[in-house]
Amino acid sequence: MSKVDVVIGLQYGDEGKGKIVDYLAKNYDVIARFGGGDNAGHTIYKESEKIVLHLIPSGILNPNILNVIGNGVIINPISFKQEVQMLESHGIDVKSRLVISDKAHIITPIHKAWDVHNESSQRIGTTMKGIGPCYTDKVSRKGIRVCDIFKPDFHLLGVKWNNQIGLPFEVPNLKEFFEACNFLKQFRIESTEILLNKLLDEGKKVLAEGAQATGLDIDFGSYPFVTSSVTTTSGVCQGLGVSPKRIGTVYGVIKAYTTRVGNGPFTTELNDSIGDEICKKGNEFGSTTGRKRRCGWLDLDEINYNAMICGVDKFVLTKSDVLNDFEEVKIYYNGEYLPLTGWKDVNSDEFERFVTMIESYTNTSVNIVSCGAGRNDILEREYIV
Ligand code: IMP
């Protein structure tokens, strides 16, 4: 019996999980998304072509991998259609490589309109993709699932929405939405929980691809400045329908510094020229919304908490090259900033000291280091701790 390995973000998203999933994909038969929607932005490269995925799992470039959108994911049919067309324009045959859960919920234009409206008063800094309102409907037991789009009276929803009175916004044009739902119908849609458990029984290797991150988790993130889904390892079980006994290795992805897009607490935030420099060198602008990301030093207190929640076995350290050429780099640990001499490149003793400090303060080994934007800019390290 195989297990499900997991790639999970340990900060506030944007740790570079897409690249890591793409890198690890060669070892797996299946890549599965278990939560979130098109609020995610996972950047991967096909040779030198940059591809940003929002909903479709990051194994889609590999013809030998089956990609699964699990029941915990929420799907905006309009952006799904756009993403499929974008991938097809890169010569990728999505249909033969993708399976979608019949139980995944649908994000409608009404959800998006509510998200925009709610933001005018709550100011979470959401991606405005309708995420909160869609998960709210799911939990309120009035959501729409992928299986519902096959019902003969599905289109009557439009009439219901148009007749709703007292909405604080105009009902958006629904034509594109219903067309996109029809587009969605041609894909392989089934009970992916049954499929995944069967594949695991057959010994197939499955990697669960986290979206957002533990700092944005609905329970363990900085509530209310969080997303509306379970972004931790336990979300894998519920969002794919696999038992906790089937969880294998958990890779916790950490960026060499911290970023956050949207509002909410940020202990190590740098509101100065160093923060600006990290932002510029790291190109820290949201891949989904284009917003400038807030930047700060690596916070090991937060990472220790998040790694505890997620049961992390190994760390993957990303964007370490962004800190090249800084005279001094800091790590936040136990409520204090620890200064370190900066490094010129990741093959230096100074960088090694940064990594071993992370390992000794977290008691977890850093097994993979991503040190550049390119697909092959990756160093694998020996198991040390
Ligand atoms: P929502 O998920 O659009 O409701 O946004 C809630 C919070 O999560 C906001 O602070 C967003 O900026 C943040 N967020 C949602 N998805 C991502 C992501 O994929 N990367 C980084 N931040 C995200």
Side-chain angles (χ1 to χ4, degrees), residues 255-269:
K255 189 146 62 175
Y257 48 94
T258 312
T259 60
R260 178 162 201 167
V261 59
N263 299 330
F266 186 167
T267 310
T268 60
E269 183 165 14

Side-chain angles (χ1 to χ4, degrees), residues 12-14 17 39-42 115 124-132 211-212 216 225-228 260-263 288 291 293:
Y12 298 101
D14 312 311
K17 295 180 289 295
N39 48 347
H42 293 171
D115 202 1
I124 303 286
T126 75
T127 59
M128 310 259 198
K129 300 283 179 187
I131 304 298
Q212 291 78 49
L216 295 170
F225 299 99
V226 292
T227 191
S228 299
R260 178 162 201 167
V261 59
N263 299 330
T288 297
R291 291 179 292 177
R293 297 179 185 141

Side-chain angles (χ1 to χ4, degrees), residues 5 40 47 51 54 57 79 90 123 134 167 178 181 196 198 229 247 251-252 277 285 309 355 368 370 372 382:
D5 293 343
E47 280 98 51
I51 296 183
H54 298 287
S79 39
H90 285 276
R123 299 198 193 286
C134 180
L167 286 178
F178 285 108
C181 289
L196 284 170
K198 184 169 155 281
S229 59
I247 298 296
Y251 294 91
E277 201 177 336
F285 296 89
I309 297 293
V355 177
I368 300 173
S370 163
E382 301 263 308

Side-chain angles (χ1 to χ4, degrees), residues 19 64 69 76 125 133 167 169 219 255 266 276 282 288 333 368:
K19 174 176 170 179
N64 303 318
I69 296 183
N76 179 331
L167 286 178
F169 49 80
D219 285 289
K255 189 146 62 175
F266 186 167
D276 289 344
T288 297
Y333 175 68
I368 300 173

